[in-house]
Amino acid sequence: QWWSVARASFLTAAEALGKIGDHRAVPALVRALDDSASAVREAAAYSLSQCGALDREAGERLAGLLLDPIPAVRTAAAQGLASLETMGVLWPVVAGYLDDDDPDIRRNVIRALQGGDAPELVRALAGHLQDRDAAVRRAAVVSLGESGVPVAGVFLHERLTRDSSPAVRAEAAYRLQFFDGREGLQDLKRTAEQDEHPQVRRWAEQTLRGLH
């Protein structure tokens, strides 16, 4: 029981330091990534994302939680890594995770890559636009959309017109408003008029209004 109380006190203190972005909390938070309690690992991962730049060792330890057995911990790690924008450095560490059999792990790794614009990251994300899991494909659309690289617009148009999942098509339609995609206006118009799913049509219509 005393250990539970001590752990709770540590967790409260670490979360508080993380919320104010105090870098002094980093060593303790990194140690907490190995805690046997999933709630502690999750909180530590989230708090690390508030502490500014991490060194490579801390980043690698956080990236290791992308393979955690608890989905909530994996999600916290992905959110933390994405907010830190360190995946360009950590890419060699997580590249193999993209081939994991668990689609939730693949999805969270892709979420962690969000905003990266290095050519090798863009190629990896583009490859997962063909993933057998629709949630993984949608995550790839989001991350490519956030990358801002011009070629991403081509990939998004392809998902808009060919993907079997309305959630993926809707995400692609939404993201295309941030690209100069005038060469794909006909596809957007066709989608806005003919797609069988109302949400896809709505996002296509909004993107068309923004591009005009």
Side-chain angles (χ1 to χ4, degrees):
Q1 186 176 3
W2 71 267
W3 174 239
S4 297
V5 173
R7 174 185 279 160
S9 298
F10 161 76
L11 181 57
T12 300
E15 286 180 326
L17 287 169
K19 286 177 181 177
I20 64 175
D22 194 323
H23 209 266
R24 291 175 298 175
V26 169
L29 290 172
V30 169
R31 289 194 297 272
L33 297 178
D34 294 326
D35 198 278
S36 60
S38 63
V40 173
R41 298 196 303 276
E42 180 183 354
Y46 175 77
S47 295
L48 277 170
S49 71
Q50 312 301 306
C51 292
L54 300 179
D55 62 27
R56 185 181 180 91
E57 180 182 359
E60 288 181 357
R61 294 283 295 279
L62 183 56
L65 288 191
L66 293 169
L67 298 179
D68 195 275
I70 305 300
V73 178
R74 298 197 294 261
T75 297
Q79 291 173 341
L81 288 164
S83 69
L84 291 169
E85 299 180 353
T86 58
M87 291 308 292
V89 176
L90 295 175
W91 170 245
V93 178
V94 304
Y97 299 175
L98 282 170
D99 297 324
D100 197 278
D101 290 337
D102 187 336
D104 188 68
I105 290 177
R106 298 197 302 275
R107 180 175 62 83
N108 275 303
V109 174
I110 288 171
R111 290 181 66 188
L113 295 172
Q114 188 169 306
D117 59 2
E120 63 271 22
L121 301 188
V122 172
R123 285 195 295 271
L125 293 172
H128 280 275
L129 292 173
Q130 308 293 333
D131 196 280
R132 58 188 178 277
D133 186 89
V136 175
R137 298 198 303 276
R138 184 170 182 258
V141 166
V142 173
S143 290
L144 279 168
E146 291 292 326
S147 74
V149 297
V151 71
V154 177
F155 295 134
L156 299 186
H157 270 289
E158 190 268 342
R159 285 300 91 195
L160 176 70
T161 57
R162 298 186 183 181
D163 205 281
S164 60
S165 167
V168 176
R169 298 198 304 277
E171 192 67 54
Y174 166 72
R175 298 283 166 182
L176 279 167
Q177 67 186 293
F178 305 109
F179 291 85
D180 183 13
R182 298 186 185 281
E183 70 280 358
L185 281 177
Q186 290 306 313
D187 287 337
L188 278 165
K189 290 177 180 177
R190 191 177 305 110
T191 299
E193 295 170 356
Q194 300 178 12
D195 196 277
E196 62 184 6
H197 199 278
Q199 185 180 25
V200 181
R201 296 197 301 272
R202 283 196 298 270
W203 282 121
E205 290 166 0
Q206 175 173 311
T207 294
L208 281 168
R209 288 195 295 269
L211 291 176
H212 282 113

